[in-house]
Amino acid sequence: MTVAARPSPLARAWSARWPIGAEVLLFLALTVVYEFLRDLVGVDDISRPLVHAEQIVDIERSLGLFIEVDLHEWVQSIGALEWTTTWLYTLGHTTGFVIMFVWVWFRRRDQYPMFRNWFWISHAIAVLGYWVYPLAPPRLTDLGLADPTKESLELGGALSWFQPFRNEFAAMPSMHVGYTFLFALALFWMLRPSPWRWLAFLWPAGMLFVVMATANHWWLDGVGGAATVLLGLLVADRLGGDLPRPWARRP
């Protein structure tokens, strides 16, 4: 009699379909790990991130698309728009991925493990980006741009304790844009054949506007975030085994 080989613990974890409580705990644990690693690869010497910022500005200017300063100043001149973009940056992304994960869990349960793996693989790749290319965001350069999110990120002092652990130079890639692009791709595939599924890409487009309006990212950071997600997609697909893919047509 032949005894089938049992999958390794790593393989079981990769393809696990746990109860929702276990998934919530896993999500929280991986979030803590991600924030820890992002801070771990931070740099103390500001000169290197600033040199990289100059490189980004030079690239954007050479393309005729250095728009961050004008966009930021325009948004700051309109009170309602400044308030909206500030709080969208502060809270919108968290609310967005909670809603997205819950929706996939309840509406596309079979595709949830691959979706979850793709999400976290992309974040692991992002940490490598923060390590290899620390980059100062527009608000920390000599462009004179205000930082409208500083106080809101502390939420009235409730999260002030977290600020010393925040990597200020983790701008490339922008995962604010990256994971909204991931969500847009997932929705685009999962909502087939609806013609409205193209509207999903308004999500990352809006987030790109927000991160530039708040002087937290260059638009090239958003491109880097999208590239990170696409690389994460490739890795997740290669390692996915027989897990159902969001990008595969449902029978």
Side-chain angles (χ1 to χ4, degrees):
M1 180 179 67
T2 301
V3 178
R6 296 185 61 186
S8 68
L10 181 60
R12 291 199 300 273
W14 176 264
S15 60
R17 295 174 175 85
W18 294 308
I20 191 169
E23 287 288 351
V24 170
L25 291 176
L26 175 66
F27 187 92
L28 293 175
L30 290 177
T31 298
V32 170
V33 170
Y34 169 70
E35 294 293 346
F36 170 77
L37 291 176
R38 192 170 70 155
D39 179 62
L40 184 66
V41 301
V43 295
D44 296 324
D45 182 9
I46 192 174
S47 60
R48 188 170 166 223
L50 287 175
V51 168
H52 290 163
E54 292 175 358
Q55 293 172 353
I56 293 295
V57 171
D58 288 343
I59 293 172
E60 293 188 355
R61 279 182 171 149
S62 69
L63 296 172
L65 292 172
F66 179 55
I67 60 175
E68 286 83 0
V69 174
D70 291 340
L71 176 64
H72 177 78
E73 291 179 348
W74 175 67
V75 169
Q76 297 304 300
S77 69
I78 304 174
L81 195 54
E82 176 192 0
W83 184 90
T84 301
T85 54
T86 296
W87 285 102
L88 280 176
Y89 182 84
T90 304
L91 297 177
H93 70 289
T94 303
T95 305
F97 63 60
V98 169
I99 291 173
M100 186 66 187
F101 269 76
V102 170
W103 183 84
V104 175
W105 174 266
F106 285 105
R107 299 301 300 270
R108 297 292 187 273
R109 182 76 60 85
D110 61 323
Q111 299 173 353
Y112 180 89
M114 178 60 77
F115 172 78
R116 173 201 61 207
N117 297 344
W118 177 21
F119 181 84
W120 288 112
I121 287 172
S122 298
H123 279 71
I125 295 171
V127 171
L128 294 177
Y130 306 145
W131 176 47
V132 172
Y133 197 77
L135 174 64
R139 60 186 172 80
L140 294 181
T141 64
D142 59 0
L143 295 174
L145 303 184
D147 181 6
T149 65
K150 186 177 187 301
E151 292 183 4
S152 64
L153 284 170
E154 296 179 1
L155 293 181
L159 294 182
S160 298
W161 62 271
F162 180 72
Q163 296 308 303
F165 304 100
R166 183 182 174 203
N167 184 350
E168 299 281 4
F169 306 115
M172 173 64 83
S174 167
M175 290 311 289
H176 274 74
V177 177
Y179 60 63
T180 54
F181 180 62
L182 185 154
F183 297 161
L185 281 174
L187 287 170
F188 180 75
W189 289 318
M190 290 177 180
L191 294 177
R192 283 178 301 211
S194 171
W196 298 102
R197 62 200 178 109
W198 289 95
L199 294 178
F201 291 103
L202 293 176
W203 194 351
M207 184 56 72
L208 180 61
F209 177 87
V210 166
V211 298
M212 288 193 295
T214 56
N216 277 284
H217 286 283
W218 315 93
W219 66 260
L220 275 174
D221 299 341
V223 175
T228 298
V229 164
L230 293 175
L231 181 56
L233 173 66
L234 177 63
V235 175
D237 184 53
R238 293 295 297 271
L239 299 178
D242 60 354
L243 287 178
R245 271 76 163 159
W247 49 92
R249 288 191 174 275
R250 296 166 66 88

